[in-house]
């Protein structure tokens, strides 16, 4: 009973910190709606997107984390008190009264199961591991974006460290440490699952191993989340570096979309624009500067599409579907995210 009460408090504390990190990402996104940068897949430039859109991609997993924490809390809040050692209580205690007095949602159905069941510990740890993974993915992106080669963001001095040898270094230690915490929390989960493996119904002393692993994981997450939130809240985007990284080839999909609008099946349009990209590489010119004759030889509609390709911002604004990267779609996401973060956990 005490362990379940402790878990409920821990879940509430983690939910508050996850919400605060989501709010920090949302605040940064509010200031990044008009900043355009390359979007990446496979580590390669893909299409232009908004900086706010990238930040939102890391905020939405936190909304799922909050929902998962709430689901775990509902199963944690099952009262085992009154189960006795394994067969129920020899004293006619009012378990429903105990449930209501202690703030539980339900009463355990079987005393033998209740005394040895630690599913709720494993579920809580799994939820924490996913939180850690989501934070690690955010951290990995920020480590890359703050590197000298990218320079997309500048981290505040308070969340960086210097090198023990090289005076010029500004190492993104908070984000690196956050990445490293995944291994620790995952180890805690695996430790609990391994302890539970093969146990018969009822209590066994193996179950005392759950406490150290559970406490370590919760402490680790509650240490990590505030540090990452501070690093996110104080980082500064560098729009000029983001803009300088944009390459004309990133507009290739817009040309394929244009061919589709002209009636060409996308699988064919994809191949045709691929040939146009190869032509640009042979000519040593940007995609939008391929000679009209060469473009026409690939498909008659391409010269006009190339001429009307527009800017990177124009490309972003074409992604108007819900969840897309256009201004209206990003604004809608920001509003929806605000509502989701305001919901009680």
């Amino acid at each position: 009973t005490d362990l379940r009460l402790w878990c409920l408090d821990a879940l509430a504390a983690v939910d508050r910190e996850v919400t605060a990190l989501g709010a920090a990402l949302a605040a940064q996104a509010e200031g990044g709606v008009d900043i355009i940068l390359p979007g990446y897949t496979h580590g390669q430039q893909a299409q232009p997107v908004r900086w706010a859109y990238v930040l939102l991609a890391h905020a939405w997993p936190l909304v799922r984390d909050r929902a998962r924490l709430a689901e775990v809390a509902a199963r944690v809040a099952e009262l085992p008190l009154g189960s006795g050692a394994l067969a129920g209580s020899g004293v006619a205690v009012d378990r429903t009264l105990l449930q209501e007095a202690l703030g539980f949602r339900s009463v355990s159905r079987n005393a033998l199961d209740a005394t040895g069941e630690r599913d709720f510990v494993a579920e809580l740890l799994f939820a924490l591991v996913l939180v850690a993974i989501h934070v690690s993915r955010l951290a990995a992106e920020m480590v890359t974006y703050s590197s000298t080669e990218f320079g997309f963001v500048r981290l505040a001095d308070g969340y960086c460290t210097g090198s023990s040898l090289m005076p010029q270094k500004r190492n993104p230690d908070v984000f690196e440490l956050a990445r490293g915490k995944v291994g620790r929390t995952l180890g805690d989960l695996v430790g609990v699952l391994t302890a539970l493996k093969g146990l018969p119904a009822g209590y066994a002393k193996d179950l005392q191993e759950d406490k150290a692993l559970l406490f370590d994981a919760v402490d680790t997450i509650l240490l990590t989340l505030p540090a990452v939130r501070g690093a996110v809240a104080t980082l500064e985007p560098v729009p000029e570096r983001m803009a300088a990284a944009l390459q004309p080839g990133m507009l290739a999909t817009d040309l394929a979309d244009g061919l589709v609008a002209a009636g060409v099946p996308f699988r064919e349009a994809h191949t045709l624009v691929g040939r146009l990209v190869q032509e640009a590489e042979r000519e040593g010119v940007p995609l939008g500067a391929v000679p009209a004759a060469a473009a026409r030889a690939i498909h008659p509609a391409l010269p006009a599409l190339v001429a009307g390709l527009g800017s990177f911002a124009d490309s972003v604004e074409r992604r108007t579907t819900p969840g897309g990267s256009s201004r209206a779609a990003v604004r809608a996401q920001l509003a929806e995210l605000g509502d989701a973060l305001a919901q009680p956990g």
Side-chain angles (χ1 to χ4, degrees), residues 233-277:
T234 56
L235 69 80
E236 297 178 3
V238 186
E240 59 271 21
R241 291 295 297 266
M242 295 180 181
L246 294 165
Q247 299 295 323
M250 299 174 69
L251 301 178
T253 305
D254 296 77
L255 294 175
D257 289 342
L259 287 175
V260 170
V264 179
F266 185 81
R267 62 184 178 276
E268 295 178 19
H270 186 282
T271 300
L272 293 169
V273 175
R275 289 171 55 191
L276 186 72
V277 171

Coordinates of all heavy atoms in Angstrom, one line a residue, residues 233-277:
A233 N 14.7 26.3 -22.5 CA 14.1 27.6 -22.3 C 15.1 28.7 -22.6 O 14.7 29.8 -23.0 CB 13.6 27.7 -20.9
T234 N 16.4 28.4 -22.4 CA 17.4 29.5 -22.6 C 18.2 29.4 -23.9 O 19.0 30.3 -24.1 CB 18.4 29.4 -21.4 OG1 19.0 28.1 -21.3 CG2 17.7 29.7 -20.1
L235 N 18.0 28.4 -24.7 CA 18.7 28.4 -26.0 C 18.2 29.4 -26.9 O 17.1 29.9 -26.8 CB 18.6 27.0 -26.6 CG 17.3 26.5 -27.1 CD1 17.0 27.0 -28.5 CD2 17.3 24.9 -27.2
E236 N 19.1 29.8 -27.8 CA 18.7 30.8 -28.8 C 18.9 30.3 -30.2 O 20.0 29.8 -30.6 CB 19.6 32.1 -28.7 CG 19.5 32.8 -27.3 CD 20.4 34.0 -27.2 OE1 21.2 34.2 -28.2 OE2 20.5 34.6 -26.1
P237 N 17.9 30.3 -31.1 CA 18.0 29.9 -32.5 C 18.9 30.9 -33.2 O 19.0 32.1 -32.8 CB 16.6 29.9 -33.0 CG 15.9 30.9 -32.1 CD 16.5 30.8 -30.8
V238 N 19.6 30.5 -34.3 CA 20.4 31.3 -35.1 C 19.8 31.3 -36.5 O 20.3 30.5 -37.3 CB 21.9 30.9 -35.1 CG1 22.8 31.9 -35.8 CG2 22.4 30.7 -33.6
P239 N 18.9 32.1 -36.8 CA 18.1 32.0 -38.1 C 19.0 32.1 -39.3 O 18.8 31.5 -40.3 CB 17.1 33.2 -38.0 CG 17.0 33.5 -36.6 CD 18.3 33.2 -35.9
E240 N 20.1 32.9 -39.2 CA 20.9 33.1 -40.4 C 21.7 31.8 -40.8 O 21.9 31.5 -41.9 CB 21.9 34.3 -40.2 CG 22.8 34.2 -39.0 CD 22.3 34.8 -37.8 OE1 21.0 34.9 -37.7 OE2 23.1 35.1 -36.9
R241 N 22.1 31.1 -39.7 CA 22.7 29.8 -40.0 C 21.7 28.8 -40.6 O 22.1 28.0 -41.4 CB 23.4 29.2 -38.7 CG 24.6 30.0 -38.2 CD 25.7 30.0 -39.2 NE 26.3 28.6 -39.4 CZ 27.3 28.1 -38.7 NH1 27.9 28.9 -37.8 NH2 27.7 26.9 -39.0
M242 N 20.5 28.8 -40.1 CA 19.5 27.9 -40.6 C 19.2 28.2 -42.1 O 19.1 27.3 -42.9 CB 18.2 28.0 -39.8 CG 18.4 27.6 -38.3 SD 16.8 27.7 -37.4 CE 17.3 27.2 -35.8
A243 N 19.1 29.5 -42.4 CA 18.8 29.9 -43.7 C 19.9 29.6 -44.7 O 19.7 29.2 -45.8 CB 18.5 31.4 -43.8
A244 N 21.2 29.7 -44.2 CA 22.3 29.5 -45.0 C 22.4 28.0 -45.4 O 23.1 27.6 -46.4 CB 23.6 29.9 -44.3
A245 N 21.8 27.1 -44.6 CA 21.9 25.7 -44.8 C 20.9 25.2 -45.8 O 21.0 24.1 -46.3 CB 21.7 24.9 -43.5
L246 N 19.9 26.0 -46.2 CA 18.9 25.6 -47.1 C 19.5 25.5 -48.5 O 20.2 26.3 -49.0 CB 17.8 26.6 -47.1 CG 16.9 26.8 -45.8 CD1 16.1 28.0 -45.8 CD2 16.0 25.5 -45.6
Q247 N 19.2 24.4 -49.2 CA 19.7 24.1 -50.5 C 18.5 23.9 -51.5 O 17.5 23.4 -51.2 CB 20.5 22.8 -50.5 CG 21.7 22.8 -49.6 CD 22.8 23.9 -50.0 OE1 23.0 24.0 -51.2 NE2 23.4 24.5 -49.1
P248 N 18.7 24.4 -52.8 CA 17.7 24.4 -53.8 C 17.1 23.0 -54.0 O 15.9 22.8 -54.3 CB 18.3 24.9 -55.0 CG 19.5 25.8 -54.5 CD 19.9 25.1 -53.3
G249 N 18.0 21.9 -53.9 CA 17.5 20.6 -54.1 C 16.4 20.2 -53.2 O 15.6 19.2 -53.5
M250 N 16.2 20.9 -52.1 CA 15.1 20.5 -51.1 C 13.8 20.8 -51.7 O 12.7 20.5 -51.1 CB 15.3 21.3 -49.8 CG 16.7 21.0 -49.1 SD 16.9 22.0 -47.7 CE 15.7 21.4 -46.6
L251 N 13.7 21.5 -52.8 CA 12.4 21.9 -53.4 C 12.0 20.8 -54.5 O 11.0 21.0 -55.2 CB 12.5 23.3 -54.1 CG 12.8 24.4 -53.1 CD1 12.9 25.7 -53.9 CD2 11.8 24.5 -52.0
A252 N 12.8 19.7 -54.6 CA 12.4 18.7 -55.6 C 11.0 18.2 -55.4 O 10.3 17.9 -56.4 CB 13.5 17.6 -55.5
T253 N 10.6 18.0 -54.2 CA 9.3 17.4 -53.9 C 8.2 18.3 -54.5 O 7.2 17.9 -54.9 CB 9.1 17.1 -52.4 OG1 10.2 16.3 -52.0 CG2 7.8 16.4 -52.2
D254 N 8.5 19.6 -54.4 CA 7.5 20.6 -54.9 C 7.3 20.4 -56.4 O 6.2 20.5 -56.9 CB 7.9 22.0 -54.6 CG 8.0 22.3 -53.1 OD1 9.0 21.9 -52.5 OD2 7.1 22.9 -52.6
L255 N 8.4 20.1 -57.1 CA 8.3 19.9 -58.6 C 7.5 18.6 -58.8 O 6.6 18.5 -59.7 CB 9.6 19.8 -59.2 CG 10.5 21.0 -59.2 CD1 11.9 20.7 -59.7 CD2 9.8 22.1 -60.0
A256 N 7.7 17.6 -58.0 CA 7.0 16.3 -58.2 C 5.5 16.6 -57.9 O 4.6 16.1 -58.6 CB 7.5 15.3 -57.2
D257 N 5.2 17.4 -56.9 CA 3.8 17.7 -56.6 C 3.2 18.4 -57.8 O 2.0 18.2 -58.1 CB 3.7 18.6 -55.3 CG 4.0 17.8 -54.1 OD1 4.0 16.5 -54.1 OD2 4.3 18.4 -53.0
G258 N 3.9 19.3 -58.4 CA 3.4 20.1 -59.5 C 3.1 19.1 -60.7 O 2.1 19.3 -61.4
L259 N 3.9 18.1 -60.9 CA 3.6 17.2 -62.0 C 2.4 16.4 -61.6 O 1.6 16.1 -62.5 CB 4.8 16.2 -62.2 CG 6.1 16.8 -62.9 CD1 7.2 15.8 -62.9 CD2 5.7 17.3 -64.3
V260 N 2.2 16.0 -60.4 CA 1.0 15.3 -60.0 C -0.2 16.2 -60.3 O -1.3 15.7 -60.8 CB 1.1 14.9 -58.5 CG1 -0.3 14.4 -58.0 CG2 2.2 13.9 -58.3
A261 N -0.1 17.5 -60.0 CA -1.3 18.4 -60.2 C -1.6 18.4 -61.7 O -2.7 18.7 -62.1 CB -1.0 19.8 -59.7
A262 N -0.5 18.2 -62.6 CA -0.7 18.2 -64.0 C -1.2 16.8 -64.5 O -1.3 16.6 -65.8 CB 0.6 18.6 -64.7
G263 N -1.4 15.9 -63.6 CA -2.0 14.6 -64.0 C -1.0 13.4 -64.1 O -1.4 12.3 -64.5
V264 N 0.2 13.7 -63.7 CA 1.2 12.6 -63.7 C 1.2 11.8 -62.4 O 1.2 12.4 -61.3 CB 2.7 13.2 -63.9 CG1 3.7 12.1 -63.9 CG2 2.7 14.1 -65.1
P265 N 1.1 10.5 -62.5 CA 1.1 9.7 -61.2 C 2.4 10.0 -60.4 O 3.5 10.1 -61.0 CB 1.1 8.2 -61.7 CG 0.5 8.3 -63.1 CD 0.9 9.6 -63.7
F266 N 2.3 10.0 -59.1 CA 3.4 10.4 -58.3 C 4.6 9.5 -58.5 O 5.8 10.0 -58.6 CB 3.1 10.4 -56.8 CG 4.2 10.9 -56.0 CD1 4.4 12.3 -55.9 CD2 5.1 10.1 -55.4 CE1 5.5 12.8 -55.1 CE2 6.2 10.6 -54.6 CZ 6.4 11.9 -54.5
R267 N 4.4 8.2 -58.7 CA 5.6 7.3 -58.9 C 6.4 7.7 -60.2 O 7.6 7.6 -60.2 CB 5.2 5.8 -59.0 CG 4.2 5.5 -60.1 CD 3.7 4.1 -60.0 NE 2.8 3.8 -61.1 CZ 1.5 4.0 -61.1 NH1 1.0 4.6 -60.0 NH2 0.7 3.7 -62.1
E268 N 5.7 8.2 -61.2 CA 6.3 8.6 -62.4 C 6.9 10.0 -62.2 O 8.1 10.3 -62.6 CB 5.3 8.7 -63.6 CG 4.8 7.3 -64.0 CD 3.8 7.4 -65.1 OE1 3.8 8.5 -65.8 OE2 3.0 6.5 -65.3
A269 N 6.2 10.9 -61.5 CA 6.7 12.2 -61.2 C 8.0 12.1 -60.4 O 9.0 12.9 -60.6 CB 5.7 13.0 -60.4
H270 N 8.0 11.2 -59.4 CA 9.2 11.0 -58.6 C 10.5 10.7 -59.5 O 11.5 11.3 -59.3 CB 9.0 9.9 -57.6 CG 10.1 9.7 -56.6 ND1 11.2 9.0 -56.9 CD2 10.2 10.1 -55.3 CE1 12.0 9.0 -55.9 NE2 11.4 9.6 -54.9
T271 N 10.3 9.8 -60.4 CA 11.4 9.4 -61.3 C 11.8 10.6 -62.2 O 13.0 10.8 -62.5 CB 10.9 8.2 -62.2 OG1 10.6 7.1 -61.3 CG2 12.0 7.8 -63.2
L272 N 10.8 11.3 -62.8 CA 11.1 12.4 -63.7 C 11.9 13.5 -63.0 O 12.9 14.1 -63.5 CB 9.8 13.0 -64.2 CG 9.0 12.1 -65.2 CD1 7.6 12.6 -65.5 CD2 9.8 11.9 -66.5
V273 N 11.5 13.9 -61.8 CA 12.2 14.9 -61.0 C 13.6 14.4 -60.6 O 14.5 15.2 -60.6 CB 11.4 15.4 -59.8 CG1 12.2 16.4 -59.0 CG2 10.1 16.0 -60.2
G274 N 13.7 13.1 -60.3 CA 15.0 12.6 -60.1 C 15.9 12.8 -61.2 O 17.1 13.1 -61.1
R275 N 15.4 12.6 -62.4 CA 16.2 12.8 -63.6 C 16.6 14.3 -63.7 O 17.7 14.7 -64.1 CB 15.5 12.4 -64.9 CG 15.3 10.9 -65.0 CD 14.4 10.5 -66.2 NE 14.8 11.1 -67.4 CZ 14.0 11.2 -68.5 NH1 12.8 10.6 -68.5 NH2 14.5 11.7 -69.6
L276 N 15.7 15.2 -63.4 CA 16.0 16.6 -63.4 C 17.1 17.0 -62.4 O 18.0 17.8 -62.7 CB 14.7 17.4 -63.1 CG 14.8 19.0 -63.2 CD1 14.9 19.4 -64.7 CD2 13.6 19.6 -62.5
V277 N 17.0 16.4 -61.2 CA 18.1 16.6 -60.2 C 19.4 16.1 -60.8 O 20.4 16.8 -60.6 CB 17.7 15.8 -58.9 CG1 18.9 15.8 -57.9 CG2 16.5 16.4 -58.2

